[in-house]
Amino acid sequence: MPQGTLEVLLVGAKGLENTDFLCNMDPYVILTCRTQEQKSSVASGKGSEPEWNETFLFNLSEGISELSLKILDSDSGTADDFVGEASIPLEPLFMAGDLPPTSYNVVKEQEFCGEIRIGLKFTPDSDCDREFQEPEVSYGGWKESSY
């Protein structure tokens, strides 16, 4: 797996199961790439069709092959409710370089429960490119000419 920077555009979700019975839920997303974890803002009162349009950056190292997303409903006073999750394989991204916003299935207890829309961009580390370049050869400058 290549090393570099993963840029994640969290666009929105649709068709999510509303876990609040009396009002619209307040969903947010926890994005995890191996040991790195980031959290979106809470889409207050947006219910089952939230929009975030937020960007997150992850540093990728060897062996990272997927991005995990967990959608939760922010509840004050009680524990946040689990809405669903999605796993996005990164192999197609490494081959393409970037993937436009695409819908991925959200599942809960192995049942489909909505979609989440994510755009991905991968920028390889420039250090990796340098390893394969020829060393620069100096032929001398104007001071070293015979004139």
Side-chain angles (χ1 to χ4, degrees):
M1 299 290 139
Q3 294 182 339
T5 303
L6 171 65
E7 184 177 318
V8 181
L9 172 62
L10 174 61
V11 179
K14 65 180 182 179
L16 301 177
E17 177 189 351
N18 195 346
T19 58
D20 285 348
F21 300 108
L22 300 174
C23 58
N24 279 338
M25 66 177 176
D26 307 311
Y28 66 93
V29 179
I30 295 176
L31 303 92
T32 308
C33 217
R34 196 181 267 170
T35 59
Q36 300 172 67
E37 190 173 277
Q38 296 190 45
K39 180 182 165 186
S40 75
S41 63
V42 175
S44 296
K46 297 294 184 185
S48 59
E49 310 269 327
E51 284 191 15
W52 292 279
N53 293 310
E54 293 179 35
T55 302
F56 302 89
L57 295 175
F58 292 93
N59 292 317
L60 297 188
S61 58
E62 291 295 322
I64 296 179
S65 60
E66 76 174 17
L67 172 69
S68 300
L69 308 168
K70 191 187 294 187
I71 305 170
L72 297 140
D73 171 23
S74 179
D75 289 331
S76 56
T78 61
D80 292 352
D81 298 319
F82 176 71
V83 176
E85 61 190 341
S87 290
I88 301 172
L90 297 177
E91 190 64 39
L93 173 66
F94 297 146
M95 291 187 281
D98 66 286
L99 298 172
T102 305
S103 293
Y104 297 91
N105 289 345
V106 175
V107 294
K108 181 179 181 179
E109 297 168 1
Q110 298 180 346
E111 296 281 324
F112 173 82
C113 63
E115 294 179 344
I116 190 161
R117 200 160 167 78
I118 301 285
L120 299 170
K121 182 177 182 180
F122 177 69
T123 307
D125 279 348
S126 56
D127 294 346
C128 296
D129 297 341
R130 282 192 210 124
E131 290 176 24
F132 304 108
Q133 291 178 349
E134 296 280 327
E136 272 189 39
V137 178
S138 174
Y139 295 106
W142 64 271
K143 287 184 178 180
E144 295 164 0
S145 68
S146 57
Y147 289 106

